[in-house]
Amino acid sequence: MRIYHSDATKARRARTELDGGQLVPPWECPERVDMILAGLREAGVGEVFSPAEHGLAPVLAVHDADYVDFLASCWDDWRALGREGEAIAWVWPTRTMPGRRIPSCVDGRLGHYALGADTSICAGTFEAAMASKDVALSALDHVLASGEPAFGLCRPPGHHAAVDQFGGYCFFNNAAVAAQRALDAGLSRVAILDVDFHHGNGTQQIFERRSDVLFVSIHGDPMTCFPYFMGHADEVGEGDGAGYTVNYPLPEGSSAEVWFHVLEAAKERIREAGCELLIVSLGVDTFAGDPISAFTLASEDFTEMGRRLAALGLPTLVLMEGGYAVAEIGTNVANVLGGFEQGQAAKRG
């Protein structure tokens, strides 16, 4: 399996996250990339390729242009005010203050475009987000050209990024950008299967009124898990997209047995929809040792995950989402990709 990676994805090194009432170093950090690459090398999975540059056009096919301009200029605007810390939103439009106009000052724009106070903007944020979507698109180009699977080691992740909102460490929605590019290349319907512990609210929001992308997510119940306000089972899409959003919220502490049972239901829905491409938003934060999640999968379960994903028999693009800086992150990613290759071999045999 080809692996796409760029060191430019590590340009963002945020120092600040609001967690439990304290400002702490973010769980999402550049070291994750090195840990994953080390795990892939140790397991002998795949060959690493550098991505090509794809510019902003694929991003603007999914994201609001003013939002993209904000991300490009935010850090410079923030620093121009003489501030030493990182740019963090601290006031938002609310139910009683709906915010019908976008403020001109950077503090107001941060509140307009931010999902929450968990994600700061720092030097290198825009550059890393650009590199991350290039990784995703280059991996997609290989899948479309060859029919063979590919893994995009995206960082920052993307599935919390909506049309015009960032958060959850996400700025550009890599899976959504890739799905739109695949449709523009002539595919009729694409499946995005999000297996991250946290619901992909951004991906759902981007496609919830469309039937050309089936969004399926297995995640922690939003009644108790971030991002809290999206991802319930009765959210099934709207208008033309009715029936093309499928959410499987699971309680904290869910076991591998429960998780795999739901995965089979998710796979059946993908088969029924007649999808021509599978994009996997891969979060390995379903691991029992992940510091900010609450499922109980073991490392060997990720091998089985890969095997079962391969059983769908679809051209497959795997993109990195969550899974945080614990010693097993590289092993867990390598197990998914290795398991996928095993599943492909078994299907051919």
Side-chain angles (χ1 to χ4, degrees):
M1 181 183 296
R2 282 198 179 199
I3 296 160
Y4 286 84
H5 156 68
S6 169
D7 275 338
T9 62
K10 297 189 284 185
R12 167 180 161 79
R13 181 177 286 277
R15 296 179 286 112
T16 312
E17 174 179 347
L18 181 61
D19 180 35
Q22 299 182 37
L23 293 177
V24 299
W27 290 106
E28 201 292 304
C29 59
E31 288 76 15
R32 294 173 64 242
V33 172
D34 297 325
M35 296 167 80
I36 293 168
L37 288 172
L40 294 172
R41 283 194 300 270
E42 184 175 349
V45 175
E47 181 180 356
V48 178
F49 291 81
S50 297
E53 293 185 4
H54 289 76
L56 270 176
V59 175
L60 294 171
V62 167
H63 289 290
D64 174 75
D66 289 338
Y67 166 69
V68 174
D69 287 344
F70 162 76
L71 290 178
S73 65
C74 177
W75 179 243
D76 289 340
D77 293 345
W78 181 264
R79 294 288 288 171
L81 297 175
R83 293 172 174 173
E84 296 297 323
E86 294 174 339
I88 304 176
W90 56 277
V91 61
W92 285 268
T94 65
R95 290 184 299 277
T96 58
M97 189 171 63
R100 296 184 179 90
R101 300 180 185 178
I102 303 173
S104 59
C105 69
V106 67
D107 296 273
R109 284 184 289 144
L110 273 166
H112 178 80
Y113 290 119
L115 174 71
D118 63 311
T119 302
S120 62
I121 290 180
C122 63
T125 293
F126 187 75
E127 292 75 12
M130 288 289 286
S132 190
K133 60 83 182 169
D134 284 338
V135 165
L137 291 174
S138 295
L140 172 71
D141 289 346
H142 175 70
V143 176
L144 294 179
S146 69
E148 293 298 315
F151 172 57
L153 181 43
C154 296
R155 194 264 164 185
H159 71 151
H160 293 305
V163 168
D164 62 352
Q165 201 164 44
F166 72 93
Y169 312 129
C170 302
F171 302 93
F172 295 153
N173 193 308
N174 301 308
V177 170
Q180 184 61 55
R181 182 176 178 86
L183 295 167
D184 292 342
L187 298 191
S188 297
R189 180 168 293 140
V190 173
I192 300 177
L193 173 60
D194 193 324
V195 297
D196 192 283
F197 174 81
H198 303 96
H199 178 252
N201 60 285
T203 313
Q204 176 173 316
Q205 186 266 339
I206 290 168
F207 294 119
E208 64 187 347
R209 294 182 174 274
R210 293 171 52 172
S211 62
D212 53 358
V213 175
L214 171 68
F215 173 66
V216 184
S217 180
I218 308 169
H219 52 271
D221 189 339
M223 292 301 291
T224 59
C225 302
F226 180 90
Y228 299 112
F229 303 109
M230 213 166 183
H232 298 282
D234 60 357
E235 296 167 19
V236 297
E238 301 175 7
D240 290 343
Y244 289 92
T245 293
V246 184
N247 285 306
Y248 296 101
L250 299 177
E252 295 182 63
S254 289
S255 66
E257 180 182 5
V258 169
W259 196 93
F260 281 119
H261 176 76
V262 172
L263 177 63
E264 292 306 308
K267 287 165 56 182
E268 185 58 31
R269 182 66 187 94
I270 291 168
R271 291 189 187 100
E272 290 171 353
C275 298
E276 299 165 282
L277 172 72
L278 174 65
I279 299 176
V280 180
S281 280
L282 176 63
V284 294
D285 49 359
T286 49
F287 177 59
D290 193 88
I292 57 173
S293 304
F295 288 167
T296 61
L297 275 65
S299 288
E300 56 268 26
D301 293 321
F302 291 98
T303 304
E304 179 64 16
M305 181 189 298
R307 291 193 194 105
R308 295 198 187 201
L309 292 174
L312 274 168
L314 289 172
T316 300
L317 171 65
V318 182
L319 300 178
M320 195 69 214
E321 300 284 0
Y324 299 100
V326 295
E328 295 85 354
I329 186 173
T331 298
N332 295 341
V333 173
N335 284 356
V336 174
L337 303 187
F340 191 95
E341 290 180 337
Q342 293 171 22
Q344 275 194 310
K347 197 171 181 65
R348 287 192 295 264

